[in-house]
Amino acid sequence: MVTKTVDFSARAVEALHNARLRGSFRDAMDDLIRKRLDHFRDETLFRELSGEGAAIRARALSRLPELLEQLERKLVSNGITVHWAEDAAQANETVLKIIRAHDSRRVIKGKSMVTEEIGLNDFLETRNVEVLESDLGEYILQLLDERPSHIVMPAIHKTKAQIAELFARKFPEIPYTEDVDTLTATARRVLRDAFRSTRIGISGVNFMVAETGTLCLVENEGNGRMCTTIPDVHIAVTGIEKVVEKLADVPPLLALLTRSATGQPITTYFNMISSPRREGEKDGPKEVHLVLVDNGRSDIFANPDFQETLRCIRCGACINHCPVYTRIGGHSYGTTYPGPIGTVFAPLQDGLKERGELLSASTLCNACTEVCPVRIPLAGLINRLRAEYAAPRGNVKDAGSGRSWKEAMAWKLWSAVYARPRLYQRLLNWGLKHRDRLPRELAPWSDSRAMPVIAEKSLHQLVREKSEADQ
Amino acid sequence: MREKPTQVLLFGSCLIDVLYPQAGMDAIALLEREGIEVVFPQAQTCCGQPAFNAGYRDEARKVARVQLDCLQGDAPVVVPSASCAAMMKHHYVELFRDQPEAEAAAQLAARIVEFTEFLVDVLRIRLQDQGPDIRVAVHSSCSARREMNVAVQIESLLEQLAQVELVHQDHKAECCGFGGTFAVKQAEISAAMVADKTAALLRCEIDRYITQDCGCMMNIDGALASQQAPLRGTHIATFLMERTGGNEDS
Amino acid sequence: MSTARENILARLRAAETQAPTFDAEPQPPPEWGMREKRLRFIERMEAVRAEVIETSADDLATVLASWLASREVRSLLHDPGSRWAEMLHQAIADGAELPELIAFNREIELWKRSLFDNVDAALTTTLGGIAETGSLMLWPSADEPRSMSLVPPIHIAVLEEKQLYATFAEALEQQQWAEAMPSNALLISGPSKSADIERTLAYGVHGPKELLVLLLRDEDEEAS
Ligand code: SF4
């Protein structure tokens, strides 16, 4: 599903050298940043709103097990079937079982990052179930056999020309065009046929309301509504952390989500599903299933150092504002969630051995932390994870796996010097005296920068001389 | 804290010590000119940030302890380097969590004041520009901007200077790509970031860029030098001394 | 299956949770008068390319007829039991030129193809509107099924001005949604759209390409 991170740096470098890709990510992120800012120019207002968002999510997490039970009770009494899955394999099997129970060989999907995370599409395809993505971006990627590079705008790395060329290849009956309206109309036609004839729809969920047993979906296209309205069966797949206490918690989160994600005051559709088709109703799925996926979340929950990661509402703002993401794009990360949230989530979920390398891809500049609508201290968490990576403290899977003998020695030496003021000064003075003999080049620093110029005298010396002169 | 003290401690930072000592001296001179007694504890070394950000917390703690020791007292600790200020003000608490020094760390954190913040918010300094016309931009470090929240202060100081024209580079708030070990471990990404930063500064056609953080300056100046561009950065303390006639000999 | 449930819940229960430490005062709803709410609603709706026509209950049929004619709509899905249906039928009886009126009178399975291919537009009621975001609130029902606002290329919604709320939060509270949620509740803010191809906005990607709001002005407004 997701590529291993071993080659993160190699992929990042490759992406860096792709000028077109870099330019288009930059433009896209700048645009999203501007649109978001239009709503949050007033910093005090943003502080208030994000405080409210964080409080709602924190309150929900503080009662997570009971809320999940309440949610389940409500959903069941509303007629929705609830399934629990401890990991990706269980989740996939659960979905497959529902599909098989309806003798179906085809599903149509709305956007869902959790199904991306558990690799549902590949799993179903190998079991002879055809999967059709219906979000326009996801649909394009599926035709290309590619993965999303952004959690909100999956096909953001593709140009109009590339998509035009793809459509011309896949739909030879339609003349080549780069006109977005025409391309969109083509997709509409193909996908409408599919919505009409497919019996099982799969979607993600943005929020689940324990109080009323309601599943909320946020979208612009209407494919989410199609997937949850037209087929006979709707299967919603989501993470256990998405629950909130009550309906009144929804409006502030919704406002934060859409403004942070795309700079919209609201999306075109906000779809709240509380039950399957009821007696007498003439449409809507006859069955609704919710698959609650753990897949490492309960372990993150049990780790007090990282629990707040689960407040995330997947708005993508941290990604849009990340100067590293902007330059290397989403695919370099090799994770379901790229950017800062992925840099925290992936090592916690998959372990540091597999994902630890990602931790170096941050300057800890806090651009992410600043915009997170639920106040997750992303840079602080990346820093904490680096500590877990370097030292076997044991709270995170594979803690200590990033410790290299060389690096550890270097820091030991460093601290041996800097923790001894006199030794430090003696070495410093020696260095200053021999500053002409210090190396002129030290890769990789000097590959793109001149070496800094060592001063003649240290501040320590200058201050000493000054106070002697003053006396 | 916001009352004007008679005495402060100065924490110079390891980079200023070895690369930009004049910035430290200028900070001291400016403070003294405002009637503040400045104490520079000779036992200071480094705040510990490099190891802390690399994940080597035990090593960082060892070094940080030395600063806890030599910066004792009640006087404010002025730091002419925003990222070190942020380390001591915000991250010591985490670094010494569950340690015997937790309380001492919190006590020190509460006394940390970044240099421009001290000039503007505590001293309410008034500056008289005595220099010729000059065009500058400001690069506030990420720590200054997002951890210490002092990106406004440095600009308000420059705005007091009549002959200084302040221009704004694009993507001004974006990181310069230094990030400590990031510059080594992700050298190519770092190089791309600093290349964008220098390009934005060069497009401004400025005489100088001003900053309150020497880590960024080392990075940006290094890139400028290797591109053979004439532009260089100046630490805010040095720039202010220069403009207000207090630095004849430099 | 149930072991997964037990295992997950057990792990969650065993964990220490952190008490929320954020001081959060919910934002009070803005105090907008009727005019302000109306203007904001219209502005937001138009910003997302929905069309809003201000009219009155009396003129509804005429206004609708001429709008539909300009779009060459040949068939209009509607709820024959609604208050507006009566007016439309009356208008037709009076000689107004309206498209063929269709009712959603059987389960979707029985006429999916024709619903998808032959219905040009649908007319629905709303539960109200939200001024802040320019949103319509819909509670689809047996008489006005969910797909009416989704499948036909044009969606026309009737909104009474006095049902305008400042914010979603205010509407939820005053209409007491939490008491009993319908099988499906919707906020609709404009026609279906996508920006997935090079961030260029395209309309009607899956749902309606056009959204028309018939905003019925409140005649008592001046008095109140
Ligand atoms: S962590 Fe990132 S994606 Fe999650 S809520 Fe915060 S900004 Fe949004």
Side-chain angles (χ1 to χ4, degrees), chain A residues 8-9 12-13 16-17 22 26 30 305 323-324 326-328 357 360-367 370 380 383-384 386-387 390-391 393 402-404 407-408 411-412 414-421 424-425 428 432 444-445 448-450 452-455 457-464 466, chain B residues 10 12 14 16-22 24-25 28 32 40-46 48-57 59-60 62-63 66-67 94 97 142 145-147 171 174-175 177-179 181-194 196 218-219 222-223 225-226:
Chain A
F8 168 75
S9 298
V13 168
L16 271 176
H17 293 302
R22 251 180 87 187
R26 182 78 180 196
D30 281 354
D305 276 357
V324 173
T326 301
R327 285 172 179 80
I328 63 174
E357 193 190 353
S360 64
S362 166
T363 63
L364 306 180
C365 78
N366 271 300
E370 187 181 30
N383 190 321
R384 251 181 217 171
R386 284 184 182 174
R393 307 205 309 171
R403 192 177 191 86
S404 82
E407 215 176 87
W411 287 114
K412 279 228 167 348
W414 173 86
S415 71
V417 174
Y418 281 82
R420 292 187 180 76
Y424 163 73
Q425 284 197 46
L428 179 63
L432 300 178
W445 177 270
S448 50
R449 303 170 195 83
V453 182
I454 309 285
K457 291 179 178 173
S458 71
L459 180 60
H460 278 83
Q461 282 174 325
L462 292 174
V463 171
R464 260 199 317 270
K466 177 174 173 289
Chain B
L10 188 100
C14 60
I16 286 190
D17 207 16
V18 62
L19 300 180
Y20 308 103
Q22 192 54 45
M25 292 307 285
I28 294 174
E32 286 180 343
F40 182 89
Q42 284 281 333
Q44 62 179 275
T45 59
C46 165
Q49 183 186 202
F52 180 72
N53 285 354
Y56 287 80
R57 293 197 171 185
E59 288 75 7
K62 246 170 97 180
V63 171
V66 174
Q67 324 314 316
E94 162 125 357
R97 196 168 56 154
C142 299
R145 186 179 295 280
R146 289 181 276 268
E147 292 191 289
H171 293 92
E174 192 177 75
C175 179
F178 176 45
T181 49
F182 173 80
V184 177
K185 291 200 169 177
Q186 297 298 342
E188 304 230 15
I189 307 175
S190 172
M193 287 169 71
V194 74
D196 287 346
M218 174 173 77
N219 183 42
S226 101

Side-chain angles (χ1 to χ4, degrees), chain C residues 23-106:
Chain C
D23 36 8
E25 286 293 306
Q27 300 286 308
E31 286 174 19
W32 293 330
M34 184 66 88
R35 192 184 123 81
E36 172 95 39
K37 282 193 278 193
R38 184 179 68 238
L39 294 179
R40 282 180 185 263
F41 175 84
I42 295 172
E43 189 201 309
R44 288 303 334 152
M45 270 292 177
E46 288 178 347
V48 292
R49 257 215 221 171
E51 194 175 333
V52 181
I53 299 179
E54 296 177 66
T55 180
S56 64
D58 293 344
D59 296 336
L60 180 99
T62 337
V63 168
L64 186 58
S66 74
W67 192 89
L68 290 171
S70 74
R71 293 296 192 282
E72 290 178 32
V73 169
R74 282 154 306 158
S75 54
L76 178 68
L77 190 59
H78 78 312
D79 165 20
S82 78
R83 194 179 140 203
W84 320 118
E86 215 174 292
M87 293 181 179
L88 295 184
H89 290 280
Q90 185 59 48
I92 292 174
D94 294 346
E97 295 244 354
L98 274 162
E100 182 196 357
L101 295 177
I102 320 169
F104 207 125
N105 52 12
R106 59 221 130 123

Side-chain angles (χ1 to χ4, degrees), chain B residues 67 92 99 102 116 119 122 169 217 223 231:
Chain B
Q67 324 314 316
Y92 271 17
Q99 300 283 325
T116 61
L119 294 186
V122 181
Q169 69 276 32
M217 191 152 83
L231 181 66

Side-chain angles (χ1 to χ4, degrees), chain B residues 10-239:
Chain B
L10 188 100
F11 180 79
S13 88
C14 60
L15 274 190
I16 286 190
D17 207 16
V18 62
L19 300 180
Y20 308 103
Q22 192 54 45
M25 292 307 285
D26 290 328
I28 294 174
L30 247 167
L31 295 171
E32 286 180 343
R33 204 174 69 187
E34 295 295 309
I36 308 279
E37 185 197 341
V38 181
V39 177
F40 182 89
Q42 284 281 333
Q44 62 179 275
T45 59
C46 165
C47 64
Q49 183 186 202
F52 180 72
N53 285 354
Y56 287 80
R57 293 197 171 185
D58 292 339
E59 288 75 7
R61 215 176 284 119
K62 246 170 97 180
V63 171
R65 268 191 203 111
V66 174
Q67 324 314 316
L68 285 184
D69 239 28
C70 76
L71 296 171
Q72 284 180 29
D74 295 318
V77 179
V78 176
V79 186
S81 166
S83 61
C84 312
M87 176 69 198
M88 300 165 104
K89 190 167 189 70
H90 299 301
H91 303 304
Y92 271 17
V93 180
E94 162 125 357
L95 186 60
F96 288 103
R97 196 168 56 154
D98 306 325
Q99 300 283 325
E101 300 91 342
E103 211 172 299
Q107 197 265 0
L108 175 60
R111 287 158 52 219
I112 298 291
V113 195
E114 189 272 335
F115 175 67
T116 61
E117 182 188 8
F118 190 77
L119 294 186
V120 174
D121 298 342
V122 181
L123 296 186
R124 297 175 204 287
I125 196 168
R126 286 288 153 259
L127 301 165
Q128 269 299 324
D129 194 2
Q130 296 171 27
D133 286 353
I134 187 172
R135 200 173 140 90
V136 303
V138 166
H139 172 74
S140 272
S141 69
C142 299
S143 311
R145 186 179 295 280
R146 289 181 276 268
E147 292 191 289
M148 297 304 291
N149 281 312
V150 296
V152 183
Q153 278 81 346
I154 188 168
E155 293 188 14
S156 80
L157 289 167
L158 296 178
E159 275 155 15
Q160 290 189 34
L161 304 173
Q163 284 82 250
V164 173
E165 183 193 356
L166 178 60
V167 292
H168 302 278
Q169 69 276 32
D170 57 61
H171 293 92
K172 185 177 158 181
E174 192 177 75
C175 179
C176 71
F178 176 45
T181 49
F182 173 80
V184 177
K185 291 200 169 177
Q186 297 298 342
E188 304 230 15
I189 307 175
S190 172
M193 287 169 71
V194 74
D196 287 346
K197 185 56 76 185
T198 53
L201 287 168
L202 289 169
R203 275 197 302 275
C204 290
E205 301 185 343
I206 41 173
D207 300 302
R208 245 52 97 84
Y209 74 89
I210 314 298
T211 180
Q212 70 289 71
D213 215 310
C214 292
C216 310
M217 191 152 83
M218 174 173 77
N219 183 42
I220 298 171
D221 276 2
L224 287 167
S226 101
Q227 299 160 22
Q228 319 219 324
L231 181 66
R232 289 293 179 277
T234 302
H235 190 276
I236 180 70
T238 300
F239 189 65

